[in-house]
Amino acid sequence: MKQSLQHTEQQLLKTECGRVFDYIFKAMKLVRDEKHNFHVVYKTMSDEYIYSFCNPFLDTLATNTYKLISEDEAKKIFLPRLTSANAHELFTTAKASFALQA
């Protein structure tokens, strides 16, 4: 059995601006909004945020687009939809806007 994973072009995440990242991140969160859209954010090891969006009911086989966004943009999209624990993984000073449900 192979002891290491070989990277291929298909295993890399490429943003709209052309930056390429491997799939090792500090944090990654997926949330669904009220319109069934999926929002994904990746926090890189250098504290940058990469964002992707899709609607699985409307999207065809088109590839996902990934773009670099600011921490403020990431907070605007994700804080209202994350628990405090999940928000803290993504943002160092985060507080979720809703209470945890029992």
Side-chain angles (χ1 to χ4, degrees), residues 30-40 51-59 77-78 81:
L30 168 82
V31 296
R32 187 181 78 200
D33 65 21
E34 58 282 348
K35 296 180 183 177
H36 304 288
N37 297 310
F38 288 96
H39 304 269
V40 182
Y51 173 70
S52 183
F53 164 90
C54 76
N55 183 323
F57 301 108
L58 299 177
D59 286 352
I77 297 166
F78 289 90
R81 295 180 175 95

Side-chain angles (χ1 to χ4, degrees), residues 4-18:
S4 64
L5 177 66
Q6 294 179 344
H7 288 282
T8 66
E9 189 67 32
Q10 296 158 344
Q11 293 174 311
L12 301 176
L13 188 144
K14 186 174 183 179
T15 64
E16 290 177 329
C17 64

Side-chain angles (χ1 to χ4, degrees), residues 6-72:
Q6 294 179 344
H7 288 282
T8 66
E9 189 67 32
Q10 296 158 344
Q11 293 174 311
L12 301 176
L13 188 144
K14 186 174 183 179
T15 64
E16 290 177 329
C17 64
R19 292 210 30 216
V20 177
F21 297 88
D22 60 16
Y23 280 109
I24 300 174
F25 300 102
K26 280 185 181 178
M28 182 175 83
K29 298 296 173 191
L30 168 82
V31 296
R32 187 181 78 200
D33 65 21
E34 58 282 348
K35 296 180 183 177
H36 304 288
N37 297 310
F38 288 96
H39 304 269
V40 182
V41 68
Y42 304 87
K43 184 176 182 180
T44 69
M45 294 300 188
S46 56
D47 293 331
E48 295 172 291
Y49 294 89
I50 302 170
Y51 173 70
S52 183
F53 164 90
C54 76
N55 183 323
F57 301 108
L58 299 177
D59 286 352
T60 60
L61 296 176
T63 59
N64 287 347
T65 57
Y66 301 93
K67 63 181 183 177
L68 288 171
I69 61 173
S70 69
E71 183 175 4
D72 288 339

